[in-house]
Amino acid sequence: MSTLPQRVFSGVQSSGNLHLGNYLGAITRFVELQKNFDCLYCVVDLHAITVPQDPLSLRANTRKAAATFIACGIDPKKNIVFNQSQVAEHAELAWILNCVARIGWLNRMTQFKEKAGKDRENASIGLYDYPVLMAADILIYRATHVPVGEDQKQHLELARDIAQKFNNDFAASIARNGFGESFFPVPEPLIAGPATRVMSLRDGAKKMSKSDISDYSRINLADDADQIAQKIKKAKTDPDALPSDEKGLEGRPEADNLVGIFAALAGRTKADVLGEYGGANFSAFKNALIDLSVAKLAPITSEMRRLTQDETYVDGVLRDGAERARVLARANMNAVKDIVGLLR
Ligand code: AMP
Ligand code: TRP
């Protein structure tokens, strides 16, 4: 396996506005990793349709997510930026992996339980099978590293289990086909930094999410300076001043969240931020956070707006990315077919 290149894969759903959680938990990491790795960044539209989507909005949101990647600094020439449904091999490999993954493993997935809610019988089979498609997204490129937010940790563990079971189940055939001891690398999750789980601005116990009904719960990357200021001003806090060390954030989820957001945006640690703001009241800290957020996000927002209007350019990026992705995916899919014993 040591001869395989190190390769990064990650995906973001095209199901609505991207927000500060997506940006700090995932996209800023994508931008850093492009310096040292070959990276594929995918807008996962096949994942989005596991819950109902309006076809016209879905198309627009796929373009918007791609425009966001580029506006945040992902270079689509150096990396492969594409939408999942243009590379049929993701779905093709997912079928093979469906026959490797076990129902017992999927039954443990907490995200399915949360998303399906009480009416589980009525959830789509796609929603249940979602983690297997996610494993296929990663493994079809034999990717080695996967930057994600904390909420995807369990899905990554499943992808690792599927890779290992495939390697074990087909060990003899893998060797016979000249791939040595294993075919799929066991992908490493990259979950790090002060904002791997950005929480709702209205409730420190809930993660910031596209699907929260309150727009005040999140900062969208499309928000303007006034919206950002209003949302931060209204963000829930507690009555005490900021503590001067991280231990003092324990049991204060809203304070912890705002300090984490500040640290991540400033490229500093929480300890460092508290060294400066410890003892300050929230109104002073919120003003500093508003200035920092606007300074960091305004250039991204305006570039996103510009790119979203240039449909031809964005569609061109996605088409070019899909063509390059397909070359890698087809070669690996052919190898999988040989290993499994499917004629081609
Ligand atoms: P999604 O919007 O669910 O497709 O998520 C895309 C990426 O953003 C994944 O890597 C998630 O783990 C990450 N992400 C989503 N919400 C948050 C959050 N509130 N905090 C940190 N990372 C997040
Ligand atoms: N499930 C991820 C999310 O909702 C998105 C995703 C799909 C993904 N396929 C992936 C992330 C592969 C990393 C790698 O956030």
Side-chain angles (χ1 to χ4, degrees):
M1 293 310 292
S2 56
T3 53
L4 272 182
Q6 298 215 311
R7 184 175 282 155
V8 167
F9 181 95
S10 197
V12 173
Q13 289 194 61
S14 50
S15 46
N17 275 323
L18 298 196
H19 53 69
L20 192 64
N22 296 128
Y23 178 65
L24 296 177
I27 303 174
T28 53
R29 313 290 316 287
F30 300 178
V31 176
E32 283 163 32
L33 288 162
Q34 66 182 345
K35 290 188 212 131
N36 298 320
F37 290 88
D38 288 336
C39 306
L40 295 110
Y41 295 127
C42 186
V43 183
V44 291
D45 45 8
L46 295 177
H47 278 90
I49 62 166
T50 56
V51 296
Q53 300 288 337
D54 164 51
L56 293 177
S57 317
L58 180 61
R59 250 196 290 274
N61 286 334
T62 299
R63 292 190 175 111
K64 223 189 276 171
T68 307
F69 282 178
I70 301 165
C72 290
I74 292 169
D75 177 353
K77 293 219 161 61
K78 189 172 181 301
N79 309 285
I80 297 181
V81 174
F82 69 112
N83 61 305
Q84 187 184 27
S85 60
Q86 287 204 59
V87 182
E89 285 79 0
H90 290 238
E92 193 180 355
L93 179 62
W95 183 258
I96 309 251
L97 300 183
N98 274 333
C99 302
V100 175
R102 305 288 93 181
I103 290 176
W105 299 357
L106 282 182
N107 283 344
R108 286 197 284 274
M109 296 294 116
T110 55
Q111 187 177 290
F112 173 74
K113 291 177 194 163
E114 275 160 29
K115 285 199 180 174
K118 287 203 178 72
D119 196 8
R120 203 177 290 179
E121 294 282 303
N122 203 27
S124 74
I125 293 174
L127 189 66
Y128 180 72
D129 198 32
Y130 175 116
V132 178
L133 179 59
M134 177 163 163
D137 296 336
I138 300 164
L139 299 178
I140 193 66
Y141 302 104
R142 297 214 268 172
T144 53
H145 295 83
V146 185
V148 280
E150 176 75 32
D151 61 337
Q152 295 303 312
K153 194 170 174 204
Q154 194 185 34
H155 290 163
L156 249 296
E157 275 157 16
L158 184 89
R160 291 167 61 85
D161 289 343
I162 292 175
Q164 272 162 332
K165 182 157 167 37
F166 181 95
N167 289 338
N168 283 333
D169 288 356
F170 294 100
S173 186
I174 287 169
R176 212 180 312 117
N177 280 282
F179 294 107
E181 285 184 6
S182 58
F183 181 70
F184 290 127
V186 179
E188 284 293 330
L190 299 176
I191 304 172
T196 56
R197 188 172 175 83
V198 177
M199 307 309 280
S200 156
L201 299 181
R202 308 299 290 159
D203 178 352
K206 266 174 40 189
K207 73 168 183 180
M208 186 178 285
S209 141
K210 290 169 189 162
S211 54
D212 197 312
I213 38 169
S214 164
D215 199 51
Y216 274 95
S217 70
R218 67 186 156 260
I219 293 174
N220 302 305
L221 294 178
D223 286 346
D224 61 27
D226 282 349
Q227 288 169 308
I228 293 175
Q230 269 188 13
K231 287 176 178 179
I232 293 177
K233 278 197 187 124
K234 284 199 184 242
K236 188 175 169 202
T237 50
D238 56 42
D240 297 334
L242 281 169
S244 46
D245 58 29
E246 272 187 86
K247 219 172 151 34
L249 291 173
E250 278 170 24
R252 299 179 65 186
E254 286 86 11
D256 192 8
N257 190 38
L258 294 182
V259 172
I261 291 173
F262 192 111
L265 282 171
R268 293 163 62 178
T269 61
K270 287 195 216 177
D272 190 33
V273 172
L274 291 174
E276 184 179 343
Y277 290 97
N281 61 33
F282 271 107
S283 71
F285 181 68
K286 280 182 169 182
N287 284 334
L289 182 58
I290 290 169
D291 291 345
L292 175 64
S293 306
V294 171
K296 287 279 170 186
L297 301 180
I300 296 175
T301 309
S302 68
E303 182 63 358
M304 252 169 73
R305 292 228 174 91
R306 191 184 70 75
L307 289 168
T308 312
Q309 276 156 18
D310 194 349
E311 227 170 68
T312 317
Y313 169 73
V314 174
D315 286 2
V317 164
L318 293 174
R319 210 175 311 114
D320 169 67
E323 271 167 29
R324 288 154 61 208
R326 225 177 274 132
V327 174
L328 302 170
R330 197 62 239 165
N332 290 334
M333 194 64 222
N334 285 342
V336 167
K337 288 181 94 172
D338 292 346
I339 290 166
V340 173
L342 301 169
L343 285 176
R344 61 177 179 95

